[in-house]
């Protein structure tokens, strides 16, 4: 259930697909229900029909069809780790933590310690729609929304119904998903589950692999439920929760991640037109992770690190929205979250036994209050202005190193508590001079405080590179302006274009400090680094600059055919005077991204859809010495109705079986993306 409100309209956020893309009602941009046609910002809605027509296997694979949407690595989400799946927009992807806030039904969904999201927690078959906002979202959503917001909506129990999906395909992939909703008077309930198991594929390039390399199988399941009770015509309460498990046992040989969360709240509509919402949530993550190393011939794989990482957070959101003076929709609200987390890592193995243990951890509290005015000024002009004050405290940071098994302390470092106070704002105007043309502009300032992970936990690549943490990291600040236009030529054609200018001050980057030689080499502050691998540390640099453009076109020439295309140009560069990364292209950013879709729907025969993506070249290091080439990918889906709510489908990712690189090390080892992936299945709905 989405903790949203709007005093002036009764449009349901879970209503059916709208005929026009600009008629959709969204909440991610303003935390109140607003039509896309009234917003001064560029918001993209992926509806239920888009989900049903996609060849994607997962939510991020679906969202990659939005120009400018990128993850740290363009790998299939069924096999990539949460650290690889960090979301970025407009080339702002150079940090190991995300600058984009991911919401699940309007509440934060990321890991409480790192901010990462294991996308298996939100299975694609259970997704109803997604809203994507590119640009600074901090004035409404706080610190984690510096670079944008993605709000994922799951099914809501508004009626009786059930759905079932069974799939099987390449690499031993098996999937089963089901959901049921019940509505009895004032009470509604839903229960859904998803199970997926795949043998995976060989990630390292075949000509570089050895006898010790093998595909990495993945198994995960999630169960989620929701209850809604309409106590009266003006009061609604709701509660929900989920549990997710990913990995393969036994512990000590593979990885396991578990995430449990609970959410509840109420929505109260006053006779005066005001609406109040209160939501609380709590989550807990427990994980066991392992990393290994290979000898030069890749004939032997050795356990290098084994870690345990519990984390938890609790949160509260309050919001009041009230119509005033007939034309102003005023909102005030507050958010508070408290997070704790730690990592215990055994490393430096000798004869299969760990001889060292590293322990890191800390806590973080974020509190914020905001005010917003969405006002109709007349003559087709609408203003949306907001301001927010945030206070962040990071405390109890500590890092210790012990010998094993004696547990003698090698060093014990406690880090000073840190406090950050910030004011952010946004101001936007939309002018609708006619039905076919809408003009919009906005300016905003956003910020992001470093996560506990960035400050306290090193990141060790499976290939040997090290990225050290930094407890002295400062908050980032983004300032941006946008100008855009929406053109609607009848019901069949919609074109949208946005030009933006963005600067991030004091951005956190993975800064290369040294590279090992032909043998493993001690490098400060990383310790011993594998041969030909790099030592980096998260540091604040002077700035990131990007001036780009995003376009989207959709055309429906007939009732059966629909065509779409999108393009983003994001030339993001680093400002770091006196440092090697100065004027370089931002880490993992792509100047060019393009998408194209084509769909044909025939109730008599079949529904056919194709989607194509172009990813421009990018660098996987801050020094721009390791460049990954551009790639073209095509997906296909064919769906055939079988009658009585049943259908069968075949979908193919990477239709032409392109071998493309997802990352590459300084030693030349290449990881590749998912090859052609064919899945067939049946759906039933009642």
């Amino acid at each position: 259930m989405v903790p949203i409100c709007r005093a002036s309209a009764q449009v349901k956020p879970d209503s059916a697909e709208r005929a026009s893309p600009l008629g959709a009602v969204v909440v991610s941009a303003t935390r109140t229900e607003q039509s896309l046609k009234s917003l001064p910002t560029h918001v993209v809605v992926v509806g239920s029909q888009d989900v049903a027509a996609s060849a994607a296997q997962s939510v991020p694979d679906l969202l990659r069809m939005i120009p400018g949407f990128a993850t740290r690595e363009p790998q299939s989400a069924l096999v990539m780790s949460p650290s690889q799946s960090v979301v970025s927009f407009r080339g702002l992807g150079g940090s190991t933590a995300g600058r984009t806030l991911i919401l699940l039904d309007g509440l934060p969904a990321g890991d409480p310690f790192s901010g990462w999201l294991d996308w298996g927690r939100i299975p694609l078959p259970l997704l109803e729609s997604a809203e994507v906002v590119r640009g600074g979202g901090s004035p409404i959503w706080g610190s984690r929304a510096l670079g944008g917001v993605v709000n994922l909506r799951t099914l809501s129990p508004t009626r009786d119904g059930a759905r079932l999906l069974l799939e099987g395909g390449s690499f031993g992939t098996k999937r089963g998903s089901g959901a049921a909703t019940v509505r009895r008077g004032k009470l509604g309930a839903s229960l859904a589950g998803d199970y997926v198991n795949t043998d995976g594929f060989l990630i390292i390039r075949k000509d570089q692999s050895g006898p010790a390399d093998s595909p990495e199988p993945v198994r995960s399941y999630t169960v989620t439920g929701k209850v809604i009770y309409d106590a009266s015509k003006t009061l609604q309460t709701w509660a929900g929760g989920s549990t997710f498990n990913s990995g393969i046992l036994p512990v000590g040989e593979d990885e396991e991640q578990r995430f449990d969360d609970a959410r509840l709240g109420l929505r109260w509509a006053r006779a005066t037109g005001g609406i109040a919402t209160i939501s609380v949530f709590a989550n807990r993550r427990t994980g066991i992770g392992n990393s290994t190393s290979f000898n030069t011939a890749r004939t032997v794989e050795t356990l290098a690190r084994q870690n345990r990482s519990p984390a938890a957070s609790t949160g509260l959101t309050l919001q009041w929205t009230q119509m005033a003076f007939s034309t102003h929709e005023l909102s005030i609200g507050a958010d508070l979250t408290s997070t704790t987390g730690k990592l215990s890592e055994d490393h430096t193995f000798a004869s299969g036994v760990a001889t060292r243990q590293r322990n890191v951890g800390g806590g973080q509290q974020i509190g914020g209050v905001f005010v917003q005015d969405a006002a109709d000024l007349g003559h087709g002009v609408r203003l949306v202005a907001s301001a927010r004050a945030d206070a962040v405290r990071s405390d109890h940071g500590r890092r210790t190193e012990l010998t094993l098994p004696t547990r003698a302390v090698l060093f014990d470092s406690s880090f000073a508590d840190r406090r950050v106070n910030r004011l952010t704002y946004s101001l936007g105007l939309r002018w609708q001079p006619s039905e076919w043309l809408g003009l919009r502009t906005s300016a905003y300032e956003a910020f992001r405080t470093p996560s506990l992970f960035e400050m306290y936990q090193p990141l060790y690549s499976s290939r040997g590179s090290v990225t050290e943490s930094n407890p002295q990291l400062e908050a980032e600040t983004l300032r941006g302006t946008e100008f855009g236009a929406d053109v609607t030529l009848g019901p069949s054609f919609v074109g949208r274009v946005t030009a933006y200018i963005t600067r991030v001050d004091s951005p956190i980057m993975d800064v290369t400090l040294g590279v090992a030689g032909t043998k493993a080499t001690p490098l400060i502050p990383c310790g011993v680094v594998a041969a030909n691998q790099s030592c980096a540390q998260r540091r604040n640099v002077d700035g990131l600059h990007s001036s780009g453009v995003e376009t989207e076109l959709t055309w429906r020439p007939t009732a059966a055919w629909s065509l779409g295309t999108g393009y983003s140009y994001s030339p993001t560069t680093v400002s770091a005077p006196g440092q090697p990364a100065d004027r370089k292209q931002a880490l993992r950013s792509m100047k060019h991204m393009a998408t194209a879709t084509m769909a044909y729907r025939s109730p008599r025969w079949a529904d056919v859809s194709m989607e194509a993506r172009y990813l421009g070249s990018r660098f996987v290091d801050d020094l721009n010495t390791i460049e990954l080439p551009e790639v073209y990918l095509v997906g296909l889906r064919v769906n055939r109705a079988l009658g009585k709510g049943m259908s069968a489908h075949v979908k193919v990712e990477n239709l032409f079986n392109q071998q493309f690189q997802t990352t590459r090390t300084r030693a030349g080892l290449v990881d590749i993306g998912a090859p052609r992936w064919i899945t067939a299945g049946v759906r039933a709905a009642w």
Side-chain angles (χ1 to χ4, degrees):
M1 183 65 185
V2 183
I4 59 172
C5 51
R6 187 177 186 186
S8 59
Q10 301 300 320
V11 182
K12 296 291 185 182
D14 298 306
S15 58
E17 195 92 6
R18 279 79 179 174
S20 168
L22 296 184
V25 173
V26 300
V27 300
S28 49
T30 63
R31 292 177 72 148
T32 62
E33 293 176 10
Q34 304 282 346
S35 166
L36 284 183
K37 218 167 187 178
S38 68
L39 293 173
T41 52
H42 190 162
V43 182
V44 179
V45 175
V46 180
S48 58
Q49 291 185 5
D50 301 309
V51 176
S54 175
Q57 299 274 8
S58 64
V59 172
D61 297 331
L62 170 75
L63 298 182
R64 286 185 181 124
M65 291 305 297
I66 298 173
F69 178 97
T71 53
R72 187 172 173 85
E73 293 184 10
Q75 183 60 275
S76 169
L78 287 187
V79 298
M80 71 177 171
S81 70
S83 64
Q84 298 170 321
S85 61
V86 173
V87 173
S88 65
F89 295 110
R90 297 177 174 173
L92 302 181
S95 171
T96 48
R99 295 186 171 104
T100 301
L101 175 65
I102 310 297
L103 301 170
L104 178 60
D105 290 333
L107 291 173
D111 177 90
F113 189 79
S114 66
W116 301 339
L117 177 65
D118 193 319
W119 290 93
R121 288 179 48 215
I122 309 171
L124 186 62
L126 305 185
L127 182 71
E128 286 288 287
S129 65
E131 303 166 7
V132 175
V133 183
R134 293 166 288 198
S138 297
I140 288 296
W141 294 101
S143 168
R144 299 293 179 244
L146 176 136
V149 180
V150 177
N151 185 27
L152 305 171
R153 290 177 168 179
T154 59
L155 77 167
S156 188
T158 57
R159 61 181 179 84
D160 290 353
R163 61 174 73 170
L164 178 66
L165 166 69
L166 297 174
E167 285 184 336
S170 304
F171 316 115
T173 303
K174 305 175 185 65
R175 177 167 229 154
S177 296
T181 59
V182 177
R183 187 74 187 191
R184 295 292 181 271
K186 297 181 177 182
L187 184 66
S190 64
L191 181 66
D194 179 81
Y195 173 85
V196 62
N197 191 349
T198 179
D199 296 337
F201 55 91
L202 192 64
I203 293 176
I204 190 170
R205 203 170 66 189
K206 189 173 182 180
D207 62 308
Q208 297 180 337
S209 65
D213 291 296
S214 63
E216 297 184 10
V218 177
R219 179 193 65 190
S220 68
Y221 69 82
T222 185
V223 178
T224 180
K226 186 186 300 183
V227 176
I228 295 176
Y229 179 66
D230 296 320
S232 67
K233 292 182 179 180
T234 60
L235 179 63
Q236 181 186 75
T237 60
W238 58 274
S242 66
T243 183
F244 167 77
N245 184 279
S246 175
I248 296 179
L249 300 178
V251 171
E253 296 181 13
D254 290 287
E255 299 186 356
E256 181 183 24
Q257 300 289 327
R258 184 183 179 105
F259 196 100
D260 303 293
D261 77 315
R263 303 151 180 253
L264 58 90
L266 63 84
R267 185 176 191 262
W268 179 35
R270 295 289 305 277
T272 58
I275 298 178
T277 59
I278 302 174
S279 303
V280 297
F281 65 90
N283 55 51
R284 179 183 63 186
R285 186 261 290 157
T286 54
I288 297 172
N290 302 283
S291 61
T292 59
S293 61
F294 293 80
N295 63 348
T296 304
R298 303 189 72 82
T299 57
V300 178
E301 182 180 14
T302 306
L303 184 63
R305 289 176 180 82
Q306 182 176 2
N307 63 66
R308 297 161 295 282
S309 53
S313 68
T314 56
L316 167 70
T317 68
L318 307 170
Q319 186 171 328
W320 173 263
T321 296
Q322 174 75 58
M323 288 301 299
F325 311 110
S326 302
T327 58
H328 292 260
E329 184 182 77
L330 299 176
S331 299
I332 60 173
D335 304 296
L336 176 65
T337 60
S338 178
T339 298
T340 59
K342 61 182 180 180
L343 169 83
S344 178
E345 183 176 65
D346 297 340
H347 62 99
T348 313
F349 282 76
S351 302
V353 178
T355 61
R356 296 279 187 92
Q357 184 180 85
R358 178 184 298 109
N359 294 285
V360 300
Q364 192 172 74
Q365 300 83 45
I366 303 177
V369 295
F370 69 91
V371 60
Q372 177 179 263
D373 182 16
D376 291 317
L377 304 182
H379 306 288
V381 178
R382 184 171 176 82
L383 175 145
V384 179
S386 60
R388 182 180 174 107
D390 280 282
V392 182
R393 174 185 169 91
S394 302
D395 55 17
H396 298 95
R398 188 175 184 180
R399 180 169 174 174
T400 62
E401 190 85 18
L402 312 175
T403 62
L404 296 176
T406 63
R407 301 191 65 81
V409 178
L410 295 176
F411 69 84
D412 187 340
S413 298
S414 295
F415 306 115
D417 294 350
R418 308 285 298 278
R419 292 178 174 83
V420 176
N421 299 313
R422 285 296 175 91
L423 294 174
T424 55
Y425 70 88
S426 66
L427 178 64
L429 284 171
R430 184 182 182 94
W431 179 35
Q432 195 77 31
S434 66
E435 280 295 318
W436 67 271
L437 177 64
L439 303 174
R440 45 188 165 77
T441 182
S442 60
Y444 43 79
E445 181 175 304
F447 93 107
R448 185 182 75 90
T449 191
S451 67
L452 295 174
F453 173 86
E454 289 173 296
M455 291 189 291
Y456 304 136
Q457 183 176 335
L459 180 65
Y460 296 92
S461 163
S462 61
R463 301 295 185 248
S465 63
V466 181
T467 304
E468 204 24 290
S469 57
N470 186 352
Q472 304 303 317
L473 290 172
E474 302 290 340
E476 306 173 324
T477 301
L478 179 148
R479 295 179 178 88
T481 57
E482 297 182 13
F483 308 89
D486 301 327
V487 177
T488 306
L489 302 180
S492 63
F493 178 87
V494 175
R496 311 184 74 189
V497 60
T498 301
Y500 67 87
I501 302 172
T502 295
R503 175 182 168 88
V504 182
D505 292 322
S506 299
I508 299 170
M509 279 182 43
D510 300 342
V511 177
T512 300
L513 302 179
V515 179
T518 56
K519 296 182 179 180
T521 307
L523 296 174
I524 298 174
C526 300
V528 178
V529 177
N532 301 310
Q533 299 302 311
S534 62
C535 166
Q537 186 178 34
R538 301 170 193 126
R539 293 186 175 182
N540 295 99
V541 297
D542 179 66
L544 292 176
H545 302 266
S546 185
S547 300
V549 64
E550 298 157 343
T551 65
E552 295 167 22
L553 301 175
T554 58
W555 180 40
R556 296 182 175 89
T558 68
W561 286 93
S562 64
L563 305 171
T565 184
Y567 169 73
S568 70
Y569 175 63
S570 303
T572 307
T573 57
V574 177
S575 173
Q579 300 183 46
D582 188 40
R583 301 181 182 273
K584 296 292 197 299
Q585 185 173 322
L587 173 67
R588 299 183 184 275
S589 70
M590 287 171 276
K591 289 185 179 180
H592 304 279
M593 296 177 65
T595 63
T597 60
M598 179 180 66
Y600 174 75
R601 296 181 174 89
S602 171
R604 181 179 179 183
W605 301 105
D607 297 342
V608 181
S609 60
M610 293 190 69
E611 51 196 38
R613 287 189 292 136
Y614 166 76
L615 306 178
S617 62
R618 59 207 179 279
F619 295 95
V620 296
D621 70 321
D622 60 315
L623 304 180
N624 287 189
T625 58
I626 309 174
E627 184 177 12
L628 302 185
E630 62 186 14
V631 61
Y632 299 84
L633 298 171
V634 177
L636 170 69
R637 181 183 179 110
V638 179
N639 189 81
R640 167 72 175 173
L642 302 178
K644 294 184 179 180
M646 294 191 66
S647 64
H649 64 268
V650 175
K651 56 186 181 182
V652 187
E653 283 192 289
N654 195 359
L655 178 66
F656 299 113
N657 201 29
Q658 295 292 308
Q659 180 174 287
F660 63 99
Q661 301 181 22
T662 60
T663 192
R664 187 166 79 244
T665 71
R666 293 184 183 277
L669 290 175
V670 175
D671 283 1
I672 61 171
R676 182 187 295 118
W677 201 320
I678 304 173
T679 307
V682 293
R683 291 177 180 266
W686 300 271

